[in-house]
């Protein structure tokens, strides 16, 4: 079943250069052509997926500008169209009357990005090639403020859903987070050498996704200003990113594909929907189920595509609210709750007698601005570092923690009365203890040694479960695509992997599958690059997996490589042959690098394991093939 359908195409006499959806979910979109004519259309469809049409309420272009339009956006209420020009002019056009309401001159050069302020009809933010960000009010026709921090032109702007934060991306490769009300720079993310193409705040979490020209998407925590996860650059420009599934997953739009990511789980690729979209101008997710995209398929037309999202998360467990889990765990840690306390049923059951309480017992100590802080959703708590304000949403968890602490303290007091103060002080001076080391009589010492061993085994078991769960989460979508013959999506997911244990699972599945020969030749060099990660591993099983995959690749392509490389040159230039030679050259280069790796040489020298024989055989046969190729050239 094709999950990406071309629903319609708008024919236009001149080239379309801009297109933008309304952010209110009404299926309105606007586009601009080379004649600076502005059009407004609406997507209309019924319950039948294929019953679709594009409706133009004005039957022609909506308005035409005398200036060259460089950016465009709907106002928050859809009462106005706002556009920026190459001359630095912002224009507000009333949709009902089709008349210009306001022209504001502010920037020194072309306006490249616009962002609306939530629920504020007359306020818009702009970024330009002069590297400045400005806030405008159409009523006063003046700039509210100007932000200067980037060194190159602004390429993307977005305002957080609560209207408190502004994110600006630039061609200098940086993303800056601003406090709008204080006009203050809060953080700078300089993690990309490529231009920033798009930004998107998570609608339900204090986090932001950023995308750059090299195809890399990064996910940032805006509490600690650190990176949560990152996808691997794939040299395909990301034109648009949109959160869906209530902020739990992210859609990225690239030429000919839509990719779906779980950014909370190390940027896990959930799905890769192939499409015919090229030159994507904008996307929008409606009702968390339908993705619409606007793309320029040719010089004059604008195509509308729809992708069904209901089949993306084929495992219902992907819908778990991991955002809340991450927020709670990280913020509780920020209040200095000991993680190991959660394992209070193991050996770490004894606590210092003077354990610090999270909350102060003196409820009368309340600062003067306490009411204001509580209105903003924060309350005061005490910890070892003094007073700290925490979000109100954390209070139930912290109260639960406090009640458990009180129970543990009662148990400790009972232990003190029975066993004596000196032993407890000695035991609780360390984070983790072995009970057997404090048992003097030999009769009971063996029992406590066994308890210690059981606790150690339990900890190791939990660690193994966590690793296996992670491996399963990554392998599920890969196996799903592989079994459904969607090898391209499976290999794209494998190329995102960096953990050797998960790579071993994926490459072993490929090398032992009958579909191995179906892997596209142009994608094989990327998989051989992943084999190097396995061969560099310290585990013999990983090294063996990398060598097995490499040798199987060599065995399959050896005859074809010799045939095409040793074939006499024809008098005419054969372009298809030259392209195929270039693809084989990349495979040969990767295989050549693999047999020259130090790990391969050491394995051959040791000559003890079974894998040593395979490594030696691989190296000898590969060198023989290279010798034959060189003799023909």
């Amino acid at each position: 079943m094709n999950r990406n359908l071309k629903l319609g195409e708008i024919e236009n006499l001149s080239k379309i250069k801009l297109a933008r959806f309304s952010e209110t979910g009404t299926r309105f979109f606007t586009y601009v052509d080379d004649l600076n004519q502005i059009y407004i259309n609406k997507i209309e469809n019924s319950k039948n997926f294929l019953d679709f049409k594009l409706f133009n309420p004005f039957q022609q272009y909506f308005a035409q500008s005398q200036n060259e339009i460089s950016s465009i956006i709907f106002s928050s209420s859809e009462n106005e169209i706002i556009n920026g020009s190459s001359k630095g002019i912002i224009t507000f056009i009333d949709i009902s009357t089709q008349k210009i309401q306001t022209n504001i001159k502010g920037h020194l050069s072309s306006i490249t990005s616009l962002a609306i302020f939530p629920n504020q009809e007359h306020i818009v933010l702009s970024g330009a090639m002069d590297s400045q960000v400005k806030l405008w009010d159409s009523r006063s026709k003046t700039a509210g403020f100007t932000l200067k921090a980037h060194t190159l032109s602004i390429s993307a702007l977005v305002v957080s859903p609560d209207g408190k934060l502004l994110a600006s991306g630039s061609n200098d490769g940086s993303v800056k987070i601003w406090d709008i009300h204080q006009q203050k720079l809060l953080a700078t993310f300089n993690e990309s050498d490529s231009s920033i193409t798009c930004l998107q705040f998570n609608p339900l979490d204090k986090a932001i996704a950023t995308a750059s020209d090299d195809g890399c998407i990064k996910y940032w925590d805006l509490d600690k200003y650190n990176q949560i996860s990152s996808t691997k650059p794939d040299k395909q420009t990301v034109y648009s990113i949109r959160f869906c599934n209530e902020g739990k997953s992210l859609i990225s739009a690239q030429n000919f594909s839509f990719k779906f990511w779980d950014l909370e789980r190390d940027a896990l690729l959930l799905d890769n929907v192939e499409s015919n979209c090229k030159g994507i101008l904008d996307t929008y997710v409606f009702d968390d189920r339908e993705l619409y995209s606007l793309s320029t398929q040719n010089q004059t037309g604008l195509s509308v595509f729809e992708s069904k999202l209901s089949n993306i998360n084929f495992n219902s467990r992907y819908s778990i609210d991991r955002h809340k889990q991450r927020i709670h765990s990280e913020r509780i840690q920020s209040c200095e709750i000991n993680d190991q306390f959660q394992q209070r049923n193991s050996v770490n059951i004894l606590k210092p007698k003077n354990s610090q309480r999270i909350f102060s017992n003196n409820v009368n100590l309340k600062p003067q601005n306490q009411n204001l802080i509580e209105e903003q959703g924060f309350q005061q708590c005490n910890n070892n570092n003094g007073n700290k304000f925490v979000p109100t949403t954390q209070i139930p968890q912290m109260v639960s923690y406090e009640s458990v602490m009180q129970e543990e303290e009662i148990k400790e007091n009972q232990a003190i009365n029975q066993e004596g103060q000196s032993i407890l002080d000695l035991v609780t001076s360390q984070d983790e203890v072995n009970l057997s080391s404090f048992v003097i009589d030999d009769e009971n010492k063996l029992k406590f040694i066994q308890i210690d061993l059981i606790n150690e085994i339990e900890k190791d078991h939990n660690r193994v479960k966590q690793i296996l769960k992670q491996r399963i989460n990554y392998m599920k979508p890969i196996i799903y695509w592989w079994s459904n013959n969607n090898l391209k999506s499976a290999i794209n997911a494998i190329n995102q992997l960096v953990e050797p244990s998960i790579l071993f699972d994926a490459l072993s599945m490929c090398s032992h599958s009958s579909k191995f020969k179906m892997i596209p030749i142009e994608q094989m060099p990327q998989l051989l690059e992943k084999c190097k990660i396995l061969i560099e591993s310290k585990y013999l099983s990983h090294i063996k997996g990398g060598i097995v995959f490499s040798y199987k690749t060599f065995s399959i392509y050896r005859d074809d490589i010799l045939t095409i490389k040793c074939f006499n040159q024809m008098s005419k230039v054969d372009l298809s042959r030259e392209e195929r030679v270039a693809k084989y050259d990349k495979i040969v280069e990767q295989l050549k690098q693999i047999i020259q790796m130090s790990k391969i040489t050491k394995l051959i020298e040791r000559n003890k394991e079974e894998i040593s024989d395979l490594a030696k055989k691989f190296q000898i046969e590969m060198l023989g093939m290279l010798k034959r190729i060189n003799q023909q050239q």
Side-chain angles (χ1 to χ4, degrees):
M1 177 183 175
N2 187 359
R3 288 189 283 151
N4 183 262
L5 296 177
K6 183 178 179 181
L7 298 180
E9 185 168 359
I10 298 172
E11 296 182 359
N12 203 63
L13 296 177
S14 57
K15 183 179 178 180
I16 295 173
K17 59 181 180 179
L18 295 170
R20 191 70 183 263
F21 277 106
S22 166
E23 296 294 325
T24 58
T26 57
R27 290 180 169 81
F28 275 103
F29 64 91
T30 180
Y31 62 94
V32 181
D33 61 15
D34 272 347
L35 299 177
N36 296 307
Q37 297 176 137
I38 303 172
Y39 295 81
I40 295 179
N41 277 67
K42 184 177 182 180
I43 299 173
E44 290 189 340
N45 60 352
S46 64
K47 294 181 180 179
N48 184 356
F49 178 56
L50 298 177
D51 187 5
F52 168 92
K53 67 178 181 178
L54 297 174
F55 173 66
N56 183 344
F58 299 96
Q59 304 301 322
Q60 57 177 353
Y61 66 82
F62 161 70
Q64 187 171 17
S65 175
Q66 296 179 349
N67 299 316
E68 181 183 355
I69 298 175
S70 54
S71 55
I72 194 164
I73 198 171
F74 281 95
S75 66
S76 59
S77 64
E78 292 185 349
N79 290 329
E80 292 179 320
I81 286 283
I82 307 165
N83 68 75
S85 75
S86 59
K87 296 181 180 180
I89 299 173
I90 293 180
T91 303
F92 293 76
I93 306 175
D94 187 280
I95 292 179
S96 60
T97 62
Q98 297 179 256
K99 294 182 179 179
I100 295 176
Q101 297 288 86
T102 308
N103 276 322
I104 307 175
K105 171 69 174 177
H107 286 284
L108 303 176
S109 56
S110 178
I111 296 173
T112 53
S113 302
L114 292 172
I116 57 174
F117 200 86
N119 303 319
Q120 295 290 333
E121 175 69 17
H122 304 286
I123 297 179
V124 63
L125 293 114
S126 62
M129 292 187 69
D130 58 12
S131 73
Q132 297 180 2
V133 177
K134 293 179 181 289
L135 180 142
W136 305 93
D137 190 328
S138 62
R139 295 166 296 186
S140 61
K141 300 184 181 181
T142 57
F145 58 73
T146 300
L147 304 175
K148 300 179 182 180
H150 290 285
T151 57
L152 293 177
S153 60
I154 306 299
S155 55
L157 283 179
V158 64
V159 181
S160 62
D162 59 7
K164 295 180 180 180
L165 300 178
L166 167 70
S168 58
S170 170
N171 288 329
D172 61 16
S174 70
V175 175
K176 298 186 182 294
I177 308 299
W178 306 85
D179 184 311
I180 294 180
H181 300 290
Q182 298 183 18
Q183 300 148 45
K184 177 183 177 182
L185 180 62
L186 300 177
T188 299
F189 304 139
N190 291 310
E191 296 295 331
S192 178
D193 295 329
S194 302
S195 299
I196 303 300
T197 56
C198 41
L199 309 167
Q200 191 75 24
F201 280 99
N202 189 305
L204 298 180
D205 192 6
K206 200 173 182 184
I208 188 172
T210 67
S212 50
D213 199 37
D214 60 0
C216 184
I217 301 171
K218 297 181 184 293
Y219 194 43
W220 305 90
D221 188 314
L222 297 182
D223 277 329
K224 297 184 178 180
Y225 300 110
N226 59 2
Q227 183 177 298
I228 300 171
S229 63
S230 173
T231 69
K232 183 182 176 183
D234 60 6
K235 298 181 182 179
Q236 290 288 329
T237 300
V238 179
Y239 294 104
S240 177
I241 52 177
R242 294 283 181 178
F243 278 100
C244 63
N245 196 20
E246 295 183 345
K248 300 181 185 70
S249 51
L250 181 89
I251 305 171
S252 65
Q254 298 167 288
N255 282 341
F256 306 118
S257 69
F258 295 105
K259 295 182 180 179
F260 301 85
W261 308 93
D262 185 343
L263 297 181
E264 288 290 334
R265 289 192 291 180
D266 300 325
L268 173 63
L269 181 62
L270 299 179
D271 204 353
N272 182 22
V273 178
E274 298 181 19
S275 73
N276 296 319
C277 294
K278 183 180 178 182
I280 298 170
L281 298 177
D282 198 17
T283 60
Y284 196 81
V285 180
F286 296 100
D287 303 325
D288 270 339
R289 294 182 296 107
E290 300 168 342
L291 172 70
Y292 285 91
S293 56
L294 304 173
S295 65
T296 53
Q297 296 298 106
N298 50 51
Q299 291 296 315
T300 59
L302 180 71
S303 299
V304 181
F305 286 82
E306 182 178 13
S307 299
K308 282 293 187 180
L309 306 187
S310 57
N311 294 331
I312 293 171
N313 293 330
F314 48 85
N315 189 330
S316 61
R317 281 177 288 183
Y318 287 151
S319 63
I320 298 174
D321 194 345
R322 292 172 301 279
H323 297 280
K324 294 181 180 178
Q325 294 176 356
R326 177 177 62 80
I327 297 170
H328 290 162
S329 62
E330 290 185 355
R331 289 179 177 171
I332 289 174
Q333 288 175 11
S334 70
C335 296
E336 299 188 356
I337 296 178
N338 192 341
D339 290 337
Q340 297 188 10
F341 175 75
Q342 297 174 0
Q343 301 179 1
R344 54 183 178 273
N345 291 327
S346 93
V347 296
N348 204 13
I349 58 172
L350 300 177
K351 292 290 175 181
K353 63 174 183 176
N354 294 323
S355 300
Q356 289 287 339
R357 298 280 185 92
I358 291 182
F359 294 102
S360 172
N361 292 327
N362 191 349
V363 295
N364 295 323
L365 296 177
K366 192 171 184 179
Q368 294 179 355
N369 61 347
Q370 180 73 22
N371 293 332
L372 176 61
I373 293 171
E374 290 180 354
E375 289 176 2
Q376 300 298 323
F378 290 81
Q379 290 189 22
Q380 187 180 21
C381 68
N382 288 343
N383 61 7
N384 293 334
N385 294 330
N387 295 336
K388 181 178 286 189
F389 292 99
V390 298
T392 307
T393 55
Q394 297 176 20
I395 300 304
Q397 285 198 353
M398 299 176 70
V399 170
S400 175
Y401 173 85
E402 172 66 7
S403 63
V404 175
M405 286 290 292
Q406 292 175 355
E407 293 177 5
E408 294 297 326
E409 187 174 3
I410 293 173
K411 294 179 182 179
E412 291 169 6
N413 291 333
Q414 293 174 350
I416 292 172
N417 294 332
Q418 294 175 4
E419 302 296 336
Q421 181 68 45
S422 58
I423 294 178
L424 182 63
D425 288 339
L426 178 62
V427 172
T428 57
S429 62
Q430 303 181 23
D431 291 334
E432 289 196 13
V433 296
N434 292 323
L435 296 179
S436 57
S437 62
F438 298 99
V439 180
I440 298 176
D441 90 54
D442 294 335
E443 182 179 350
N444 293 319
K445 192 175 185 66
L446 181 60
K447 296 179 181 179
F448 284 101
I449 290 176
Q450 293 173 346
I451 293 175
D452 290 335
L453 289 174
I454 291 172
N455 286 322
E456 288 300 322
I457 292 171
E458 184 181 3
K459 286 191 290 185
D460 291 340
H461 175 68
N462 291 334
R463 209 172 293 126
V464 170
K465 281 177 61 179
Q466 184 178 3
I467 294 172
L468 289 176
K469 184 177 179 181
Q470 182 187 32
R471 292 170 70 170
I472 290 171
N473 285 337
Y474 276 93
M475 283 301 298
K476 275 185 178 180
I478 295 174
I479 294 172
Y480 175 82
W481 294 316
W482 188 270
S483 62
N484 285 278
N485 296 321
N486 189 357
L487 303 189
K488 183 177 179 181
S489 295
I491 293 170
N492 283 335
I494 294 173
N495 288 331
Q496 293 290 327
L497 301 177
V498 293
E499 173 61 38
S501 60
I502 307 174
L503 264 176
F504 173 77
D505 294 337
L507 294 181
S508 296
M509 179 200 71
C510 295
S511 60
H512 291 89
S513 172
S514 59
K515 299 177 183 178
F516 187 86
K517 295 181 181 180
M518 297 168 58
I519 296 176
I521 186 174
E522 59 271 11
Q523 291 185 304
M524 191 58 76
Q526 300 170 346
L527 296 178
L528 291 173
E529 189 72 36
K530 294 298 180 181
C531 287
K532 297 177 186 177
I533 298 177
L534 290 184
I535 295 173
E536 289 292 343
S537 172
K538 62 181 179 180
Y539 297 108
L540 189 62
S541 60
H542 294 170
I543 298 172
K544 182 178 180 180
I547 294 176
V548 168
F549 187 96
S550 302
Y551 182 71
K552 187 164 185 178
T553 303
F554 167 76
S555 301
I556 289 176
Y557 289 105
R558 173 172 46 189
D559 294 341
D560 290 342
I561 292 172
L562 287 172
T563 299
I564 200 166
K565 294 288 288 184
C566 299
F567 186 73
N568 292 329
Q569 295 285 345
M570 295 185 296
S571 57
K572 286 186 177 182
V573 177
D574 188 345
L575 294 179
S576 62
R577 178 183 176 276
E578 291 299 322
E579 291 176 357
R580 194 162 183 82
V581 168
K583 293 177 181 178
Y584 279 128
D585 283 342
K586 293 180 180 179
I587 294 178
V588 171
E589 181 61 29
Q590 288 292 341
L591 293 173
K592 183 179 177 181
Q593 293 177 14
I594 289 173
I595 64 169
Q596 293 174 347
M597 293 178 69
S598 59
K599 278 288 182 72
I600 299 288
T601 304
K602 289 178 181 178
L603 273 175
I604 295 173
E605 291 174 351
R606 287 168 61 181
N607 197 25
K608 291 182 179 180
E609 292 84 4
E610 178 187 349
I611 190 62
S612 299
D613 296 335
L614 180 60
K616 186 175 182 179
K617 182 180 179 182
F618 177 29
Q619 189 181 67
I620 291 172
E621 293 183 8
M622 181 65 192
L623 290 173
M625 187 187 74
L626 292 173
K627 184 178 180 180
R628 287 186 61 183
I629 292 174
N630 292 332
Q631 288 174 350
Q632 295 293 327
Q633 293 179 348

